Each structure stands twice: as C-alpha cells, then as structure tokens.
C-alpha cells in the first residue's frame, strides 16, 4: 500500500506535489488554463480520499501518483468528484493480471476459465489497473485504461450494474441505446470486413453495451476527432453526458499551433 505522507496536512502538502509536471502530458495539454486548475483541485481531493494499493512490487513516486489522479478526475472534471464515490481503493498490478472469469451460456450453464485482464472495475469494490498499461494512457491514441475503468464506475452509478447506459434523464435513454447499439453493429461489421487489426475502433467495443460505452469514452477524451467522424451521434451523447467537448479543445489547440 502506498502511504500518503501528506494525509495529515492535506491542503499544503497536496498543493506542493508536482502538478505542473503531471499536466505535461498530451492528454492534459489540450485543457485550458482554467480547466487545468480545476482538474488539479479535483485530483488533490482524489488523493486525499482514495488509496492507491500497490501490488507485486509496483512502485509509485509523487509524480506518477499525481498523473494517475489527474487521469481519474478528467472524466468528472465537470460532473464533480462525487461521481467517483463508488470506490475507495485503486489496486495496481505491475502488468496485466490473470483472473477466473465466470459466464453463463445460452443453455444456462455456468463456465469458469482463467483470463488475462488489463483492468477491472468491481461494481461494489475497487478499481483494478496495471502499471504497464497505465503508462500508455497519457497520449491521444484512442487508448486509455484509466478512463475505461472510470467509465464503468460511472455506468454503474445509481443502478448498481453496468449496462452501457449511465445515469441520465429517462427521456434520453431510448435514443442513447439506439445509437450505442448502432455503433456496436458498425464496429462489428468493420471487423468482419477488414479484421480486428485493421479496425479503426477497438473491436472490444462490439462485445457488450457496457464495454462499448467504456471504449467510446476512451476515444472521446483521447481521439475525439476519430469518434466524431465515425459516430457523430455517440460523440454528441458523450459530450452531453460528460459536459465536456474534447473535439473543440483539439480544434482550438490545432488552430493555435498553426
């Protein structure tokens, strides 16, 4: 377990952590100065409330801890930290880990077999990650393990289970579900046409509505241009849910760099 030396002096000690270094990652550089300041404040509260549990020799210094906290808080930058109240511990393995998966087939028989996971989000428990894949979660590639698992937590908030339909006004559910399933069908069709390796969106999104929501959330924050091009309806749904517009950030950043 990582013991926070600043727990007893939260405000001062947390403020002195290397936040500016933590923000110096592609995924955070698109944020405005005001958004970065708001994100840091959320991440400080995150570190004061959550516990990073390090397993099998994983080591985190202050900078790595800061970056993990910033990633956790990015999806709830506007929603607020209360949306992450469904867990206390973050378990971190050094690399993808093996667990026994249980599933029920169409005949009702229950099967169990070992499976390798990059991360897990327990409905009534911790978020489980691995450091190897966390390190690949700071660029704009469309992949982000932390955001994926946070999306599962947001999905389960309120209902207690993941369905691909997070908490939203009832009048919006039918349209969300229709567009989510349409995206899944398009992804599956593309995989059948070009194969998994050539697919433009992670094929895992077609496996289940909850996974589709989580995968598209990764693209929403790290490749919003691709998501908006492929699935404009889902981009708008996610923009409304997260109350953020990463595509506008990306466009503004490109204009400033031109």
């Amino acid at each position: 377990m990582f013991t926070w030396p600043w727990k007893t002096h939260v405000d001062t000690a947390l403020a002195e952590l290397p936040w500016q270094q933590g923000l110096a990652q592609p995924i955070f550089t698109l944020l405005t100065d005001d958004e970065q300041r708001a994100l840091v404040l959320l991440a400080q509260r995150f570190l004061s409330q959550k516990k990073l549990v390090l397993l099998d020799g994983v080591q985190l210094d202050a900078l790595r801890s800061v970056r993990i906290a910033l990633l956790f808080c990015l999806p709830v930058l506007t929603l607020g930290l209360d949306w992450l109240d469904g867990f206390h511990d973050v378990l971190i393995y050094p690399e993808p880990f093996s667990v026994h998966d249980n599933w029920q087939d169409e005949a009702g028989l229950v099967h169990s077999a070992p499976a390798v996971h990059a991360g897990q989000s327990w409905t009534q428990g911790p978020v489980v990650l691995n450091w190897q894949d966390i390190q690949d979660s700071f660029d704009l590639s469309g992949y982000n393990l932390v955001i994926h698992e946070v999306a599962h937590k947001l999905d389960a908030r309120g209902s207690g289970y993941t369905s691909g339909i997070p908490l939203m006004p009832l009048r919006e559910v039918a349209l969300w579900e229709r567009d989510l399933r349409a995206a899944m069908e398009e992804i599956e069709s593309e995989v059948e046409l070009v194969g998994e390796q050539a697919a433009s969106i992670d094929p895992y999104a077609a496996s289940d509505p909850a996974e589709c929501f989580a995968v598209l959330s990764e693209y929403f924050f790290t490749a919003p241009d691709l998501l908006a091009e492929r699935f404009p309806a889902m981009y708008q749904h996610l923009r409304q849910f997260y109350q953020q517009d990463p595509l506008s950030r990306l466009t503004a950043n490109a204009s400033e760099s031109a």
Side-chain angles (χ1 to χ4, degrees):
M1 183 186 302
F2 191 86
T3 303
W4 303 112
W6 48 82
K7 281 283 190 179
T8 56
H9 303 285
V10 172
D11 292 341
T12 301
L14 283 175
E16 293 176 351
L17 291 175
W19 295 107
Q20 290 307 308
Q21 285 180 270
L23 288 168
Q25 296 290 315
I27 192 170
F28 305 127
T29 55
L30 299 182
L31 300 174
T32 66
D33 291 343
D34 286 344
E35 288 173 330
Q36 288 188 354
R37 282 190 288 268
L39 183 62
V40 167
L41 291 176
L42 277 182
Q44 289 175 2
R45 290 174 54 202
F46 180 90
L47 288 181
S48 71
Q49 296 175 13
K50 311 296 184 183
K51 184 182 298 180
L52 303 186
V53 182
L54 310 183
L55 305 172
D56 298 343
V58 172
Q59 296 183 357
L60 293 182
D61 56 16
L63 179 57
R64 290 175 174 178
S65 302
V66 157
R67 287 175 175 165
I68 291 173
L70 290 169
L71 271 185
F72 265 95
C73 292
L74 179 59
V76 297
L77 176 60
T78 305
L79 294 173
L81 196 61
D82 288 348
W83 279 75
L84 298 183
D85 60 5
F87 66 98
H88 181 258
D89 294 342
V90 179
L91 312 184
I92 304 178
Y93 286 94
E95 56 190 17
F97 47 91
S98 179
V99 298
H100 265 79
D101 277 352
N102 297 313
W103 73 94
Q104 188 173 7
D105 63 21
E106 295 179 356
L109 297 176
V110 177
H111 303 265
S112 178
V116 176
H117 286 262
Q120 284 185 316
S121 180
W122 298 357
T123 303
Q124 301 296 330
V127 173
V128 188
L129 306 169
N130 80 87
W131 176 243
Q132 179 177 306
D133 287 308
I134 291 174
Q135 294 180 84
D136 293 329
S137 297
F138 296 99
D139 57 20
L140 298 173
S141 66
Y143 175 81
N144 197 293
L145 175 63
V146 176
I147 289 176
H148 185 103
E149 300 305 333
V150 168
H152 282 319
K153 281 295 184 183
L154 300 181
D155 188 357
R157 191 175 191 271
S159 64
Y161 60 91
T162 57
S163 64
I165 306 173
L167 191 62
M168 68 179 68
L170 185 59
R171 64 181 181 275
E172 299 173 7
V173 170
L175 189 56
W176 173 292
E177 185 173 20
R178 185 199 71 182
D179 293 335
L180 185 72
R181 291 193 175 276
M184 291 175 63
E185 291 174 3
E186 284 194 40
I187 293 168
E188 187 173 12
S189 296
E190 183 186 36
V191 170
E192 291 176 355
L193 181 64
V194 303
E196 291 189 355
Q197 297 302 317
S200 59
I201 300 289
D202 185 351
Y204 193 42
S207 64
D208 173 82
E211 296 302 341
C212 190
F213 169 55
V215 169
L216 295 189
S217 292
E218 295 180 65
Y219 285 90
F220 180 72
F221 285 102
T222 68
D225 49 345
L226 174 58
L227 178 62
E229 178 184 352
R230 287 296 315 280
F231 306 115
M234 279 311 303
Y235 181 87
Q236 293 304 322
H237 286 312
L238 293 169
R239 183 181 64 81
Q240 185 172 1
F241 171 70
Y242 285 111
Q243 299 174 36
Q244 300 186 54
D245 193 354
L247 181 59
S248 292
R249 293 175 185 151
L250 186 64
T251 302
N253 187 266
S255 298
E256 292 173 2
S257 302

